[in-house]
């Protein structure tokens, strides 16, 4: 299974910043230690042309050239630096490559990504560019160039925070179905309207979460029965150990979440590109275990896809 990383570039963060940058390199190292079937490669930089399929020219230029205002940088949550701009482009590049791998092999992964708070004209909540939105548009453009039918895209967003930027970008766009299941009282406090939103109460545990997921997926298949590509934002932040999550899923519950999503996609022969999305656990090792489990479940699904099962 192909997986792409963007940890060659470092954010220049002040001491005590709560963004867990260290986890990305550690996650890559854990997968490298596991070996096959993981095939891990650095991601290329997303080109401006791809970003402009979603983002406004003025905003892309501001990120590239370092002309973001202080207010824009505060909303993103990162100070601008050349490496911040490169890392943001590389993270989008990883999702682009994961989508290509998914279309070729059934499953692909970005070891970062899931930057779903970025809007067309601004970043927010540790998200500079919206990697899934850019990859969706790029894969649709590729399908048109190749003379294939319109590519229907499904976004399954199980980060604990609503995918507000993604919802806004694809508002009233029937070619992309957006599904977000998230904490009702968590960031962003002003939600956008996805095609399907499921709000969960604080303290939601395994049983209630998985029941809500099953019911939501039934709605997804009724309303979007045959997408040609799915993006799965497999956030680690619904985990009970997350500082920002406010939900109470166990490690076993998180893995069961992933299994159900991946099995449902595989049974319908829907290729899927995973992004790791959020994760802010106090216990870094526990957070990494959740994400390694997600990727191991994806690798299992990839193996079965190759067997036609």
């Amino acid at each position: 299974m192909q997986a792409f990383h963007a940890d060659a570039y470092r954010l220049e963060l002040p001491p005590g910043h709560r963004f867990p940058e260290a986890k990305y390199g550690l996650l890559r190292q854990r997968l490298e230690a596991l070996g096959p079937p993981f095939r891990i490669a650095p991601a290329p930089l997303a080109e401006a042309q791809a970003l402009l399929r979603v983002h406004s020219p003025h905003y892309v230029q501001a990120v590239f050239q370092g002309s973001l205002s202080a207010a824009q940088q505060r909303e993103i949550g990162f100070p601008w630096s050349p490496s911040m701009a490169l890392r943001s482009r590389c993270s989008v590049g990883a999702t682009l490559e994961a989508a290509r791998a998914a279309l070729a092999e059934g499953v692909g992964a970005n070891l970062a990504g899931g930057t779903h708070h970025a809007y067309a004209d601004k970043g927010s909540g540790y998200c500079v560019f919206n990697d899934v939105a850019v990859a969706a548009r790029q894969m649709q453009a590729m399908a048109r160039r190749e003379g294939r039918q319109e590519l229907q895209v499904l976004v399954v967003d199980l980060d604990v925070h609503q995918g507000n930027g993604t919802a806004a970008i694809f508002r009233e766009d029937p070619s992309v179905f957006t599904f977000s299941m998230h904490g009702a009282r968590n960031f962003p406090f002003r939600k956008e309207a996805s095609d399907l939103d499921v709000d969960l109460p604080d303290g939601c545990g395994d049983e209630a979460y998985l029941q809500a997921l099953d019911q939501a997926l039934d709605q997804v298949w009724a309303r979007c029965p045959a997408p040609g590509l799915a993006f799965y934002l497999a956030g680690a932040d619904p985990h009970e150990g997350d500082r920002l999550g406010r939900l109470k899923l166990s490690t076993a519950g998180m893995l069961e979440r992933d299994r159900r999503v991946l099995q449902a996609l595989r049974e319908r022969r829907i290729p899927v590109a995973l992004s790791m999305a959020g994760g802010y656990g106090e216990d870094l090792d526990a957070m990494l275990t959740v994400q390694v489990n997600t990727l191991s479940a994806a690798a299992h699904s990839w193996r079965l896809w190759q067997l036609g099962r």
Side-chain angles (χ1 to χ4, degrees):
M1 186 186 93
Q2 294 187 66
F4 301 89
H5 68 87
D7 60 74
Y9 302 100
R10 305 283 296 178
L11 299 168
E12 296 179 11
L13 301 176
H17 197 286
R18 64 184 180 180
F19 185 76
E21 185 176 24
K23 80 170 182 178
Y24 299 100
L26 293 171
L27 178 60
R28 172 179 53 79
Q29 291 168 21
R30 289 201 180 191
L31 292 186
E32 288 173 341
L34 290 174
F38 295 110
R39 290 170 283 147
I40 302 168
L45 296 173
E47 298 293 339
Q49 181 182 13
L51 298 170
L52 290 169
R53 294 190 186 279
V54 168
H55 294 287
S56 69
H58 184 267
Y59 178 62
V60 171
Q61 183 180 45
V63 174
F64 277 37
Q65 298 183 356
S67 57
L68 293 169
S69 69
Q72 287 175 307
Q73 292 176 64
R74 282 194 300 272
E75 185 167 2
I76 291 170
F78 301 146
W80 187 89
S81 67
S83 60
M84 175 268 221
L86 292 171
R87 182 187 183 280
S88 301
R89 292 175 61 190
C90 196
S91 185
V92 177
T95 297
L96 286 165
E97 292 303 308
R100 293 187 180 100
L103 290 170
E105 301 181 358
V107 183
N110 177 358
L111 303 187
T115 46
H116 58 171
H117 299 311
Y119 284 71
D121 59 351
K122 67 174 186 176
S124 179
Y126 303 153
C127 302
V128 180
F129 297 124
N130 193 308
D131 63 312
V132 165
V134 172
R137 286 287 186 243
Q138 191 78 347
M139 295 305 105
Q140 288 178 325
M142 183 175 73
R144 287 193 295 271
R145 284 198 306 271
E146 294 174 356
R148 293 185 279 120
Q149 65 182 18
E150 178 73 17
L151 181 67
Q152 177 72 42
V153 173
L154 167 66
V155 179
V156 177
D157 190 338
L158 299 188
D159 189 281
V160 81
H161 305 106
Q162 196 222 20
N164 57 328
T166 310
I169 288 166
F170 294 120
R171 185 184 293 120
E172 300 179 0
D173 181 347
S175 74
V176 180
F177 188 94
T178 55
F179 159 46
S180 178
M181 192 163 88
H182 48 263
R185 298 176 59 197
N186 215 319
F187 179 89
F189 303 109
R190 180 186 175 192
K191 307 290 195 285
E192 301 283 353
S194 308
D195 290 300
L196 175 60
D197 284 300
V198 178
D199 298 324
L200 300 173
D202 287 0
C204 182
D206 292 354
E207 184 177 356
Y209 185 99
L210 294 170
Q211 183 180 19
L213 176 61
D214 287 344
Q215 293 171 350
L217 288 174
D218 286 343
Q219 292 187 59
V220 169
W221 308 132
R223 297 172 58 188
C224 183
L229 175 65
F231 292 92
Y232 175 31
L233 283 71
D237 42 13
H239 188 258
E240 60 190 351
D242 197 88
R243 288 180 294 166
L244 306 180
R246 302 173 70 159
L247 302 187
K248 295 294 181 184
L249 270 71
S250 68
T251 300
M254 295 289 291
L255 179 56
E256 182 60 24
R257 173 200 73 168
D258 297 329
R259 285 173 172 162
R260 292 188 189 194
V261 171
L262 292 164
Q263 180 178 343
L265 293 167
R266 187 182 68 253
E267 287 176 346
R268 291 163 176 80
R269 300 300 286 180
I270 302 168
V272 57
L274 291 85
S275 294
M276 292 298 96
Y280 308 93
E282 295 279 7
D283 184 341
L284 182 59
D285 185 69
M287 180 172 58
L288 288 167
T289 296
V290 168
Q291 295 198 317
V292 169
N293 286 348
T294 295
L295 290 160
S296 296
H300 177 70
S301 196
W302 174 84
R303 287 190 188 97
L304 293 178
W305 183 286
Q306 309 314 304
L307 298 172
R309 293 163 56 188

